[in-house]
Amino acid sequence: MLIRSDDSGFIHPRSSEITPRAAYEGRRDMLKLLAGGMAGAALASWAARDALAQATAPGKLAALQGQKSAVPGAQTMEKLTDYKDATSYNNYYEFGTDKGDPVKNAGTLKTRPWTVEVEGLVKKPGKYGIEDLIKLSAQEERIYRLRCVEGWSMVIPWVGYSLAELIKRVEPQGSAKYVEFVTLADPKTMPFVGSRVLDWPYAEGLRMDEAMHPLTLLTFGMYGEVLPNQNGAPVRIVVPWKYGFKSAKSIVKIRFVEKEPGTAWNKAAAQEYGFYSNVNPNVDHPRWSQATERRIGDGSGLFAKRHKTLMFNGYEPQVGQLYAGMDLKKFY
Ligand SMILES: Nc1nc2c(c(=O)[nH]1)N[C@H]1C(S)=C(S)[C@@H](COP(=O)(O)O)O[C@H]1N2
Ligand SMILES: [Mo]
């Protein structure tokens, strides 16, 4: 299933296996344009570039500001990743498998109305409209590193509040041991849902104590604005000490369960992606090292400066005790 690799060695699915109808149609349109002559094609690529510049400039979306967070670990002196890079270099497989696909394709995502259903082993299950969910607790700005399993990272000012705020309100039952996040899978607006690259909907999960940890952020915005679609609008999770794929985008269900839930990447390649997926420079991915990372914006290719990857992505003082006594080579 996974055959093509980029500079990190990460293997992507072959596009011919997963090309949806929309992509075929796009290609047909492009052929028509080419037949229309170079002028047409040049105009089209100019228009595409213009649209991209629009989509990746800050100040276009609704403001969503948060107070500076006092949660330990939620601030950093590191240079922020440029908004443009954070919004145009994405993983959001529902909209395509290339880093530039989500910004081009996620315009179709309809983020209003939006409901998040809280269900399973809780005393107060319910449906939350997105506007009510945003107002449930005070918004905070948290500057977190996001470290992708592919070997790159960004530093992003996220806006949201601790997931624990929501969890406390819905009162989990004693039998609830894990929290599962189910994300939107809408074949009408998401061109790659239906492709065989992952088992849709994209789902993720956390152990209850991980979900309750104050650093786990229910996230509605970044850079003082609501989330752009490609970054998981209107609500996602950000778990800063875990590889980026644990931070599920565009969540529609939060489910409290007794048993460890299946997760999208674990189902796709169990020997490569475990349930825990803590950032750990001492546990290599079976096909590449996790010792270092490339900071997006620092340049690319062979000469890009690489940073040492830190245990738990640098959040060890805050989260290390959650895993005391666990063999992290076994629970990877
Ligand atoms: N629904 C959904 N959530 C997802 C993904 C995805 O493909 N679909 N990709 C994950 C991966 S691999 C990463 S690295 C982060 C990227 O988040 P960003 O684009 O905001 O940097 O989103 C995660 N959440
Ligand atoms: Mo990732």
Side-chain angles (χ1 to χ4, degrees):
M1 173 186 73
L2 303 164
I3 56 142
R4 192 160 55 79
S5 96
D6 66 12
D7 63 345
S8 63
F10 185 72
I11 307 297
H12 296 284
R14 188 216 305 265
S15 62
S16 64
E17 282 184 41
I18 51 182
T19 304
R21 209 187 65 197
Y24 278 123
E25 284 171 359
R27 208 166 289 154
R28 205 178 53 206
D29 290 347
M30 194 38 112
L31 288 173
K32 264 194 223 152
L33 271 173
L34 285 174
M38 289 310 284
L43 257 177
S45 78
W46 183 83
R49 239 193 336 264
D50 201 41
L52 195 66
Q54 288 277 332
T56 57
K60 301 279 191 307
L61 300 172
L64 184 69
Q65 254 113 31
Q67 64 202 34
K68 191 173 161 169
S69 177
V71 169
Q75 304 297 332
T76 164
M77 300 301 283
E78 286 168 288
K79 184 180 170 289
L80 298 184
T81 300
D82 285 347
Y83 183 89
K84 183 175 183 297
D85 289 329
T87 57
S88 61
Y89 188 91
N90 301 102
N91 276 333
Y92 197 163
Y93 272 35
E94 289 83 339
F95 293 103
T97 55
D98 284 339
K99 296 289 174 282
D101 285 342
V103 65
K104 281 186 255 159
N105 300 334
T108 51
L109 178 65
K110 210 172 146 251
T111 59
R112 292 294 187 284
W114 190 279
T115 310
V116 176
E117 234 177 306
V118 180
E119 58 180 44
L121 305 171
V122 287
K123 294 184 192 126
K124 295 180 175 166
K127 291 185 184 181
Y128 290 82
I130 188 68
E131 309 296 351
D132 293 335
L133 197 60
I134 289 175
K135 282 185 251 152
L136 191 90
S137 191
Q139 297 290 330
E140 294 189 356
E141 181 163 274
R142 311 247 185 114
I143 302 174
Y144 287 163
R145 286 175 293 280
L146 182 137
R147 204 300 196 170
C148 177
V149 76
E150 297 163 341
W152 50 267
S153 60
M154 302 197 199
V155 181
I156 293 179
W158 303 101
V159 184
Y161 53 78
S162 294
L163 176 66
E165 296 296 331
L166 174 64
I167 297 181
K168 282 182 229 153
R169 279 180 173 74
V170 300
E171 297 179 25
Q173 297 171 14
S175 52
K177 298 283 184 274
Y178 294 88
V179 185
E180 184 183 9
F181 306 96
V182 182
T183 75
L184 184 70
D186 175 21
K188 290 199 290 295
T189 54
M190 300 171 138
F192 277 63
V193 166
S195 74
R196 285 175 295 137
V197 55
L198 285 174
D199 188 16
W200 314 103
Y202 190 104
E204 260 303 339
L206 294 171
R207 211 170 59 188
M208 187 63 89
D209 57 344
E210 299 177 322
M212 286 294 291
H213 193 281
L215 282 175
T216 300
L217 191 70
L218 193 63
T219 307
F220 303 93
M222 55 196 259
Y223 300 86
E225 297 176 16
V226 298
L227 289 169
N229 289 356
Q230 63 271 27
N231 292 88
V235 57
R236 69 179 295 177
I237 208 84
V238 179
V239 193
W241 69 94
K242 294 184 181 267
Y243 290 117
F245 64 87
K246 296 293 285 183
S247 295
K249 295 176 168 180
S250 307
I251 292 170
V252 292
K253 277 189 183 143
I254 300 179
R255 188 182 287 147
F256 291 75
V257 296
E258 190 170 351
K259 296 212 172 70
E260 185 182 287
T263 62
W265 280 101
N266 183 252
K267 284 187 204 164
Q271 69 291 355
E272 305 194 359
Y273 310 105
F275 176 79
Y276 283 92
S277 300
N278 291 317
V279 173
N280 188 343
N282 309 315
V283 176
D284 288 339
H285 184 280
R287 289 181 284 126
W288 61 83
S289 162
Q290 294 291 20
T292 65
E293 67 206 53
R294 176 170 67 92
R295 191 58 57 80
I296 298 301
D298 271 6
S300 56
L302 281 175
F303 304 104
K305 179 166 133 231
R306 293 192 75 90
H307 298 247
K308 263 193 147 156
T309 288
L310 300 174
M311 189 65 199
F312 298 114
N313 204 22
Y315 302 95
E316 183 165 22
Q318 290 81 32
V319 304
Q321 80 281 359
L322 296 179
Y323 310 101
M326 278 177 76
D327 177 354
L328 298 180
K329 289 206 156 80
K330 187 168 165 224
F331 298 101
Y332 59 94

